[in-house]
Amino acid sequence: MVGGGVGGMVAALLLARNGHEVRLFERLNRLGGKLAEHEREGFVFSLGPSLLTMPRLFRDLGVGCAMVEPAELCRYRFADGSRLRALRDPVRMEEQVESLAPGQGPAWRAFYGWAQECLAASRRTFFAGPLGRPPEQARLGDLLAVAPGRTLDGLARRFFGDPRLRQYVGRYATYAGSNPYRAPAALGCVPAIEHGEGGWYVPGGLPRIAADLGGLLAAAGAEVHLGAEVTEVIADRAAVSGVRLASGERVTADAVVVNADAAALYGRLLPDRRRLRRIAGLGLSSSVLLMLAGVEGRTAGLPHHSVVFSADYRREFDDIFRHGRPAQDPTVYIGCAAVDDPTQAPAGAENWVMLVNVPARDPSRWPMPVESYRDLVLDLLARRGHDLSGRLRFVELFTPADLRDRYGAWGGAIYGSAHGLSLIPISEPTRP
């Protein structure tokens, strides 16, 4: 097994439990991959996922750490100052939508019903077997249920007349580092997961999951090698035969599972120009600028998760994906675990993780220094109700270059390739 992120750990665990001799090699000196944290002056920050969906999957594996559910999935603030509280209960969520945009509550109910059907169809097809060909049990109705050929923005326009609700739906593209005006409508199934199974938090931070998985790996008899970088997957035309480590050591194996970007596999570990060209043709996903802030005092009414939307969503994604520059008016995600977990910040303080979608390229190529962009984001938040003036103890930055250097992320892209459709119009009609 190459790579000790959560995907690699779970794959190694399942293989070990099925009787295979498993050796896992991780370049870093810890397991968990992007499921990581950073500490400073008593503040603890998540560098990766900030919530957990489908916790039953981890429970089924034997992960035993505590999990709690915040009061709100997320709170959205739009550029006009209006707000939408995303609540797990679909009935209450419909009420919140109706309060924001009178007459649109039933539209959200219809959208949620579509999301449920899309998720069910995806589980019967795309998640049910090897990628690359439709599973045998696929039905035409299942394939149509994912709205093939329609973008996520096109899906939002099918259901919602209010532009704020279309922006809310478009945000689900960013879960895959993609552009809602190019991403497939199938990403609209995410609300069925969030409202169906909730968005959860692990007290002490989500890296507790990686610690639990590490214990399960040991119990299953898997060998874990930390600080062991794999530089080559050894193979001939017939089969793989092992891996080579940075130390020069050759490790033989009957099979090799690689938990890394496909570009890293076919560009470096197992060079394949044809496959690499196909991957490059998909384009890079977005990257992120993380702003880790130690904030003095407590913010009245602050939820665990909130999103402050830009005034022009299309321009924001054009900046990122067409022009390769950070948006001048970005959407900002704010996560504050201290709202639900006092261990994550000193008494009377808050740990703010501010996440901004940016292009997957080195910040040295941005049109402004990264510190100037930090100030732009803080000024924007101040104008939209989150003024941190006089409250900041520090702000640390985690950039696409850090993603590239720490995790080997292709170009600093957070999810490798972008999800998009190649045969779709850029814009679609407002109503079907």
Side-chain angles (χ1 to χ4, degrees):
M1 173 65 63
V2 181
V6 171
M9 296 173 76
V10 171
L13 178 60
L14 295 176
L15 288 169
R17 286 179 173 175
N18 278 279
H20 298 281
E21 180 183 342
V22 176
R23 286 166 290 183
L24 185 154
F25 298 93
E26 166 56 47
R27 182 173 63 88
L28 300 177
N29 290 314
R30 60 166 183 82
L31 292 171
K34 294 186 181 76
L35 194 61
E37 62 187 15
H38 176 70
E39 297 185 35
R40 176 174 169 179
E41 299 175 24
F43 294 87
V44 184
F45 303 96
S46 171
L47 297 180
S50 58
L51 62 83
L52 173 68
T53 55
M54 296 190 287
R56 58 184 172 79
L57 298 180
F58 289 94
R59 293 296 192 216
D60 290 346
L61 289 170
V63 171
C65 56
M67 299 177 187
V68 298
E69 192 171 10
E72 300 177 40
L73 286 169
C74 190
R75 188 178 302 169
Y76 300 98
R77 180 187 175 100
F78 300 93
D80 64 1
S82 59
R83 294 177 175 84
L84 173 65
R85 296 177 66 216
L87 305 178
R88 178 180 176 183
D89 179 14
V91 175
R92 296 181 66 198
M93 181 64 183
E94 180 182 338
E95 294 169 351
Q96 293 294 315
V97 170
E98 182 67 22
S99 177
L100 171 73
Q104 294 281 275
W108 187 87
R109 188 192 325 137
F111 167 66
Y112 181 61
W114 178 91
Q116 290 177 302
E117 292 178 6
C118 178
L119 179 62
S122 297
R123 284 173 169 162
R124 289 190 296 265
T125 56
F126 302 106
F127 300 150
L131 297 178
R133 64 180 186 275
E136 293 180 1
Q137 64 268 41
R139 303 190 300 267
L140 178 60
D142 286 336
L143 298 178
L144 293 177
V146 302
R150 188 185 291 269
T151 64
L152 186 60
D153 178 67
L155 179 75
R157 291 173 182 273
R158 170 183 166 189
F159 286 100
F160 298 113
D162 191 295
R164 296 168 298 179
L165 294 173
R166 297 200 295 264
Q167 193 172 28
Y168 144 77
V169 174
R171 177 176 176 255
Y172 289 112
T174 67
Y175 283 34
S178 298
N179 180 345
Y181 303 97
R182 300 294 296 178
L187 289 173
C189 75
V190 176
I193 299 172
E194 290 189 337
H195 294 278
E197 300 193 47
W200 297 76
Y201 173 74
V202 176
L206 265 67
R208 306 289 84 75
I209 293 174
D212 273 19
L213 286 172
L216 294 172
L217 280 171
E223 291 183 19
V224 175
H225 302 268
L226 301 178
E229 181 177 5
V230 172
T231 58
E232 180 187 359
V233 175
I234 303 169
D236 56 28
R237 291 182 178 274
V240 298
S241 57
V243 299
R244 193 180 310 280
L245 306 182
S247 64
E249 179 185 357
R250 175 173 176 158
V251 181
T252 60
D254 297 324
V256 176
V257 179
V258 178
N259 178 221
D261 285 350
L265 172 61
Y266 294 120
R268 180 170 57 87
L269 301 178
L270 187 63
D272 186 317
R273 291 182 179 180
R274 181 180 61 84
R275 285 193 171 101
L276 193 60
R277 282 197 299 270
R278 290 179 60 189
I279 294 167
L282 298 174
L284 292 171
S285 80
S286 61
S287 189
V288 295
L289 173 67
L290 283 180
M291 299 169 52
L292 313 176
V295 179
E296 300 286 359
R298 302 306 295 265
T299 306
L302 182 71
H304 193 138
H305 307 286
S306 55
V307 170
V308 180
F309 275 120
S310 64
D312 189 334
Y313 220 34
R314 185 179 288 277
R315 176 176 294 179
E316 178 180 354
F317 285 95
D318 278 349
D319 279 340
I320 294 170
F321 287 97
R322 286 190 173 182
H323 304 300
R325 64 194 180 201
Q328 290 298 296
D329 179 14
T331 294
V332 184
Y333 162 81
I334 302 169
C336 182
V339 168
D340 291 310
D341 186 353
T343 70
Q344 300 296 285
E350 296 172 337
N351 61 329
W352 282 42
V353 175
M354 292 166 276
L355 183 154
V356 183
N357 294 311
V358 296
R361 65 190 313 185
D362 195 297
S364 65
R365 299 175 62 192
W366 291 2
M368 68 173 66
V370 66
E371 293 78 13
S372 298
Y373 194 64
R374 170 203 62 199
D375 295 341
L376 179 152
V377 172
L378 291 173
D379 288 345
L380 181 147
L381 288 176
R383 295 195 302 272
R384 294 188 176 151
H386 292 290
D387 191 351
L388 297 178
S389 301
R391 297 180 60 195
L392 289 173
R393 185 181 295 186
F394 61 83
V395 179
E396 289 198 33
L397 303 179
F398 190 83
T399 74
D402 295 307
L403 273 171
R404 178 198 64 208
D405 297 342
R406 182 175 297 194
Y407 304 119
W410 180 30
I414 191 168
Y415 295 116
S417 301
H419 291 71
L421 300 175
S422 58
L423 299 176
I424 55 172
I426 293 297
S427 59
E428 298 189 42
T430 300
R431 309 297 286 177

mmCIF file of all heavy atoms in Angstrom, residues 7 64 80 103 241 360 395:
data_model
loop_
_atom_site.group_PDB
_atom_site.id
_atom_site.type_symbol
_atom_site.label_atom_id
_atom_site.label_comp_id
_atom_site.label_asym_id
_atom_site.label_seq_id
_atom_site.Cartn_x
_atom_site.Cartn_y
_atom_site.Cartn_z
ATOM 1 N N GLY A 7 -8.044 7.022 2.814
ATOM 2 C CA GLY A 7 -8.360 6.007 1.807
ATOM 3 C C GLY A 7 -7.381 4.855 1.833
ATOM 4 O O GLY A 7 -7.776 3.679 1.761
ATOM 5 N N GLY A 64 -14.009 3.913 16.944
ATOM 6 C CA GLY A 64 -14.800 4.066 18.156
ATOM 7 C C GLY A 64 -14.797 5.443 18.774
ATOM 8 O O GLY A 64 -15.411 5.642 19.825
ATOM 9 N N ASP A 80 -26.124 40.183 -0.069
ATOM 10 C CA ASP A 80 -27.112 41.206 0.297
ATOM 11 C C ASP A 80 -27.404 41.232 1.794
ATOM 12 O O ASP A 80 -28.257 41.987 2.251
ATOM 13 C CB ASP A 80 -28.415 41.004 -0.485
ATOM 14 C CG ASP A 80 -29.111 39.678 -0.156
ATOM 15 O OD1 ASP A 80 -28.595 38.916 0.698
ATOM 16 O OD2 ASP A 80 -30.164 39.395 -0.762
ATOM 17 N N GLY A 103 -42.099 31.203 -1.292
ATOM 18 C CA GLY A 103 -42.544 30.472 -2.473
ATOM 19 C C GLY A 103 -41.567 29.424 -2.950
ATOM 20 O O GLY A 103 -41.918 28.593 -3.804
ATOM 21 N N SER A 241 5.470 -5.875 -9.556
ATOM 22 C CA SER A 241 6.208 -6.827 -8.725
ATOM 23 C C SER A 241 6.677 -6.222 -7.407
ATOM 24 O O SER A 241 7.317 -6.904 -6.622
ATOM 25 C CB SER A 241 7.433 -7.359 -9.499
ATOM 26 O OG SER A 241 8.277 -6.292 -9.914
ATOM 27 N N ALA A 360 -5.038 26.295 -8.582
ATOM 28 C CA ALA A 360 -3.966 25.341 -8.254
ATOM 29 C C ALA A 360 -2.695 25.788 -8.962
ATOM 30 O O ALA A 360 -2.356 25.285 -10.038
ATOM 31 C CB ALA A 360 -4.369 23.931 -8.668
ATOM 32 N N VAL A 395 -2.446 35.232 12.388
ATOM 33 C CA VAL A 395 -3.033 34.565 11.224
ATOM 34 C C VAL A 395 -1.909 33.839 10.505
ATOM 35 O O VAL A 395 -0.937 34.467 10.073
ATOM 36 C CB VAL A 395 -3.708 35.552 10.246
ATOM 37 C CG1 VAL A 395 -4.269 34.793 9.041
ATOM 38 C CG2 VAL A 395 -4.819 36.333 10.932
#
